[in-house]
Amino acid sequence: MLRCGLQRATRPPNRLRDMQNYAAPAQALVAEMSAACAADPTRAVAFQGAPGANSHIAALEIFPDCLPLPCYTFEDALDAVRDFRADCAVIPIENSLNGRVADIHFLLPESGLVITGEYFLHVRHAMMALPDHGQITEAMSHPQALGQCRRWLRANGITPITHADTADAAAAVAEAGDTHVAALAPPIAAGIYGLVIIRDDLQDSDDNTTRFVVLARAGKEVPVGDVPVMTTFIFEVKNVPAALYKALGGFATNGVNMTKLESYQRGASFAASEFYADIEGHPEEAHVRRALEELAFHSKWVRLLGTYPQGRARVPA
């Protein structure tokens, strides 16, 4: 049994989203993996993407004994947990090079799920092609992966071709049979789709890390003081002058380190912003509790999304 959240009795699954947009080799694997998860949903971990995606790798590294469940969208992955087809979901929320990945501040409140953990994955891009490939002239992948390898591609005269999913790009190369087209995908995808790796670690920057969060139906108890923890929350400031300054003042005066603060607009009023924030500390610690109380006083509302062990220490630059 996984430890990403509290277990509850399963209920009949809803219809999975049509994944016919994936290449045939990926579709076959999705069907096989989905059947395994349906037979044992307490071991299922939902992720977005085709088999072989970075989210697939993260799920296996966090929960080595899990049954990964591929989902077409982030919403589908969250629905799989909410509908008891998976025990939890592993979702990327930010990348060191590209910033925000999933709009978790929109998706999570609507899902009713909570954050129970985080994980940092070093992202690697490999060029892979058919075993009998010729001179590679084109490389297919997700726009972010292509952008992270653009200098290498340009230097080698290879034309980038946009695809919706890194791992499915590998499946598409395997399906198409074009010996002059390669895919940029995680190295694991080569073995999954019968391709060979031409070049590994060809990203322009070695500092390419994606932060994932684990989402479950219920949180796990994290005793105060046992391990360093993060607390994630969203809030909306009042539409008054210096609202954000006043709302955040308590974190400074109480010595609470805020590692992330991101604003976003909901709807079209543009009257007052909502914010997504990460802080170090537990809400039951006195200094954190005081800071959250002051935040609540100066905000329209505050919603905690989870308190969970740190995936790695936040070390000042």
Side-chain angles (χ1 to χ4, degrees):
M1 183 179 293
L2 298 176
R3 295 183 178 179
C4 39
L6 299 179
Q7 297 295 324
R8 299 182 183 178
T10 58
R11 60 185 179 186
N14 291 339
R15 182 180 64 85
L16 294 175
R17 181 184 291 269
D18 186 5
M19 302 181 81
Q20 297 301 311
N21 289 328
Y22 285 149
Q27 289 183 38
L29 282 172
V30 168
E32 179 182 329
M33 296 166 72
S34 297
C37 291
D40 192 0
T42 61
R43 291 179 57 205
V45 174
F47 69 92
Q48 185 277 327
N54 281 310
S55 294
H56 185 184
I57 298 171
L60 290 173
E61 292 188 2
I62 300 170
F63 305 108
D65 296 326
C66 77
L67 296 173
L69 176 61
C71 299
Y72 193 64
T73 67
F74 294 118
E75 291 93 334
D76 290 342
L78 300 183
D79 284 345
V81 180
R82 187 174 57 184
D83 297 339
F84 296 84
R85 288 182 281 113
D87 188 66
C88 61
V90 172
I91 301 293
I93 60 170
E94 58 184 321
N95 176 266
S96 58
L97 299 181
N98 296 100
R100 181 192 299 174
V101 179
D103 286 332
I104 199 68
H105 43 264
F106 288 127
L107 300 177
L108 186 52
E110 297 173 0
S111 72
L113 304 180
V114 296
I115 301 175
T116 62
E118 66 173 357
Y119 186 74
F120 294 86
L121 178 71
H122 177 61
V123 176
R124 297 170 57 202
H125 296 303
M127 175 172 284
M128 55 195 70
L130 296 168
D132 59 344
H133 68 86
Q135 179 67 34
I136 300 300
T137 58
E138 297 178 338
M140 180 187 304
S141 194
H142 188 276
Q144 284 193 354
L146 294 171
Q148 292 167 7
C149 303
R150 62 183 180 276
R151 289 198 294 270
W152 190 92
L153 293 174
R154 186 183 301 115
N156 288 272
I158 297 174
T159 302
I161 304 297
T162 298
H163 196 78
D165 185 282
T166 53
D168 188 54
V173 168
E175 179 183 34
D178 190 330
T179 57
H180 300 287
V181 178
L184 296 184
I188 190 177
I192 291 175
Y193 298 112
L195 304 178
V196 296
I197 293 179
I198 302 173
R199 175 73 180 267
D200 201 357
D201 291 324
L202 48 78
Q203 56 271 9
D204 297 330
S205 173
D206 290 331
D207 184 21
N208 187 357
T209 301
T210 297
R211 179 186 177 217
F212 291 81
V213 291
V214 179
L215 302 171
R217 291 182 293 273
K220 296 186 297 182
E221 183 179 355
V222 183
V224 177
D226 275 15
V227 294
V229 300
M230 301 297 295
T231 294
T232 297
F233 54 90
I234 53 177
F235 64 97
E236 182 180 355
V237 296
K238 298 176 181 178
N239 189 20
V240 296
L244 182 60
Y245 174 82
K246 295 175 182 177
L248 298 183
F251 295 97
T253 57
N254 287 285
V256 178
N257 185 32
M258 180 171 288
T259 62
K260 183 179 179 67
L261 179 66
E262 194 167 65
S263 66
Y264 59 98
Q265 291 284 336
R266 189 184 299 273
S269 67
F270 295 96
S273 292
E274 297 179 17
F275 293 86
Y276 172 101
D278 291 328
I279 60 172
E280 291 188 85
H282 197 294
E284 294 181 8
E285 294 179 279
H287 67 301
V288 177
R289 183 176 63 251
R290 289 193 298 268
L292 290 173
E293 289 174 350
E294 189 164 344
L295 171 68
F297 181 80
H298 292 290
S299 301
K300 290 183 178 180
W301 52 263
V302 178
R303 180 171 179 179
L304 296 182
L305 301 183
T307 296
Y308 47 92
Q310 291 185 3
R312 69 179 185 189
R314 269 51 174 189
V315 179

